[in-house]
Amino acid sequence: MTTHDWTQAGFSTRTIHAGQDPDPTTGAVVPPVYLTSTYKQDGVGGLRGGYEYSRSANPTRTALETALASAEGGTHGFAFASGLAAEDTLLRAVLRPGDHVILPDDAYGGSYRLIARVFGAWGVEHTAVDLTDLDAVAAAVRPGITQVVWVETPTNPLLGISDVVALAGVAHDAGALLVVDNTFATPYLQTPLALGADVVVHSTTKYVGGHSDVVGGALVVGGAALPGGRTAPDGTGDVAGALRFHQNASGAVADPFAAWLTLRGLKTLAVRMDRHQANALAVATFLEAHPRVTRVLYPGLPSHPGHELAARQMRGFGGMLSFQVGSEQAALDVVARAQVFTLAESLGGVESLIEHPGRMTHASVAGSSLEVPADLVRVSVGIEDVDDLVADLANALEGTA
Ligand SMILES: *Cc1c(COP(=O)(O)O)cnc(C)c1O
């Protein structure tokens, strides 16, 4: 069966169709959930479509991996049980003891914990740097020893914007890979591989899944070689081959139902992001004018220090924003009083969420260079009616300390 080539199609056409040809046997329009662990062989080694055992490959996961690769403009996608499982597999595939990693000084706390505490114990060193300061990044790079420059843009929870093109130059000059965690922006708004990145990381738990009902992660790559002329244990020298080996060798794969739910979410990513960001801009504009709010961090506001860079490297400003309210007590009051915004960790679902990073998502980085302001409130602006969202925050801010 010949499959259509979707590479020239627009973003939504690709997320809806790439890797998702109707089932050849039944015509099923949606790729089925292949709840099978193994596959009948037509004689020893006679695999149908390459399927042998579902840790190695499963058709539902293949559909998701193909669609994600297409969405990011990469050549290969890999789906995992969580965003951190994806990160763990990537770092194991690329790093060796004695290597050095640069990561943002406001990285996602779980990424920081993985690099600093898990890989740190295996002899990998790291430096947390303000990635908006290119001189500081260049000064922190150790040529030949730094193998990964890890980028998040926008960052969580401070919405910092860093220059992917410039950072790719710094990383590549030192022989390192540039890895971009694209969870906040999504491929609809930002495609790091086209900006020079080597690997894109996603927590598909967030916008890609989009409905707060599934945990997952993904890696997408182009044709990058492993740093330092390395090869994977199976002899392949490119990142894609190394990831294929490690995904199977350590096995933290997305299960078929999680893959199916994530693919279902991916199909509507573009329309959801359009609404997320329209609502976020309205909420940010409201908050910026509010007397009890001391600062609003949203890249779509001209007051944001990364606004111009974001306008250049992104196709929109996304649905996440943070704001400061002067004291920790006021921040705790706001998150407790909100009703349409649900008090919860995570982000990127259709429903609006609100949280206190200092005590919740970023509690694990307290006391480190990644500590966040105590009066900070983070919101994931959902796709509800924007008037209800603004009214809820107006009410929550009323009477705060
Ligand atoms: C949630 C998140 C992760 C981790 O993903 P999980 O699916 O929770 O393992 C990584 N990076 C960012 C930016 C995230 O928001």
Side-chain angles (χ1 to χ4, degrees):
M1 197 189 70
T2 54
T3 56
H4 186 81
D5 177 10
W6 299 103
T7 45
Q8 300 308 315
F11 183 83
S12 291
T13 307
R14 285 181 281 127
T15 60
I16 292 168
H17 292 291
Q20 302 165 74
D21 292 332
D23 182 76
T25 310
T26 64
V29 165
V30 173
V33 190
Y34 282 89
L35 286 176
T36 189
S37 60
T38 191
Y39 305 84
K40 174 182 163 54
Q41 303 193 8
D42 298 319
V44 175
L47 307 183
R48 300 184 191 176
Y51 295 103
E52 178 178 30
Y53 180 64
S54 278
R55 169 166 31 76
S56 312
N58 172 282
T60 316
R61 197 175 92 217
T62 304
L64 172 63
E65 293 177 334
T66 306
L68 283 169
S70 177
E72 286 286 0
T75 56
H76 296 82
F78 302 89
F80 295 87
S82 70
L84 285 175
E87 296 182 17
D88 181 47
T89 300
L90 169 65
L91 293 168
R92 285 201 237 192
V94 168
L95 297 177
R96 304 284 180 273
D99 286 350
H100 176 247
V101 174
I102 289 179
L103 76 167
D105 65 0
D106 57 350
Y108 173 72
S111 304
Y112 175 76
R113 183 176 56 203
L114 178 66
I115 291 168
R117 296 174 65 183
V118 178
F119 283 87
W122 287 95
V124 171
E125 296 188 9
H126 70 276
T127 308
V129 188
D130 175 359
L131 295 189
T132 64
D133 182 347
L134 288 170
D135 293 337
V137 179
V141 165
R142 306 178 197 164
I145 297 172
T146 303
Q147 305 295 358
V148 167
V149 176
W150 190 278
V151 176
E152 264 180 63
T153 180
T155 59
N156 174 22
L158 299 176
L159 286 306
I161 304 292
S162 49
D163 189 333
V164 177
V165 172
L167 289 166
V170 174
H172 294 158
D173 284 350
L177 292 178
L178 191 82
V179 176
V180 176
D181 183 335
N182 206 28
T183 299
F184 268 40
T186 82
Y188 180 56
L189 301 181
Q190 175 172 275
T191 28
L193 296 177
L195 300 170
D198 302 295
V199 184
V200 172
V201 175
H202 276 283
S203 170
T204 55
T205 312
K206 316 295 167 49
Y207 286 107
V208 171
H211 297 74
S212 305
D213 53 10
V214 60
V215 171
L219 301 171
V220 179
V221 297
L226 286 168
R230 289 173 179 166
T231 53
D234 68 348
T236 48
D238 59 344
V239 177
L243 292 177
R244 189 179 304 108
F245 175 86
H246 281 268
Q247 184 190 40
N248 181 53
S250 25
V253 295
D255 74 83
F257 188 57
W260 186 86
L261 275 174
T262 305
L263 187 56
R264 177 183 163 119
L266 180 64
K267 291 169 194 275
T268 56
L269 181 64
V271 289
R272 285 186 286 108
M273 291 313 293
D274 283 340
R275 176 68 81 89
H276 279 296
Q277 58 185 349
N279 283 0
L281 181 61
V283 167
T285 305
F286 161 77
L287 290 171
E288 197 165 50
H290 198 286
R292 289 206 168 86
V293 175
T294 56
R295 187 160 173 234
V296 182
L297 295 164
Y298 181 62
L301 292 176
S303 61
H304 190 282
H307 176 68
E308 278 173 32
L309 176 57
R312 207 160 64 232
Q313 84 181 3
M314 301 174 73
R315 291 177 286 272
F317 302 106
M320 294 300 299
L321 63 90
S322 294
F323 58 102
Q324 288 174 267
V325 288
S327 73
E328 179 171 47
Q329 192 54 53
L332 293 170
D333 287 348
V334 170
V335 302
R337 287 169 58 95
Q339 287 172 13
V340 181
F341 283 81
T342 300
L343 176 59
E345 299 194 357
S346 199
L347 60 109
V350 292
E351 64 290 308
S352 293
L353 302 180
I354 193 164
E355 66 120 359
H356 184 262
R359 297 249 189 134
M360 294 170 63
T361 49
H362 289 66
S364 68
V365 295
S368 79
S369 58
L370 284 79
E371 188 169 288
V372 297
D375 70 337
L376 192 74
V377 175
R378 186 188 81 179
V379 297
S380 172
V381 182
I383 64 172
E384 300 96 334
D385 292 281
V386 70
D387 291 349
D388 294 329
L389 300 180
V390 168
D392 191 45
L393 290 177
N395 184 58
L397 282 159
E398 210 49 52
T400 51

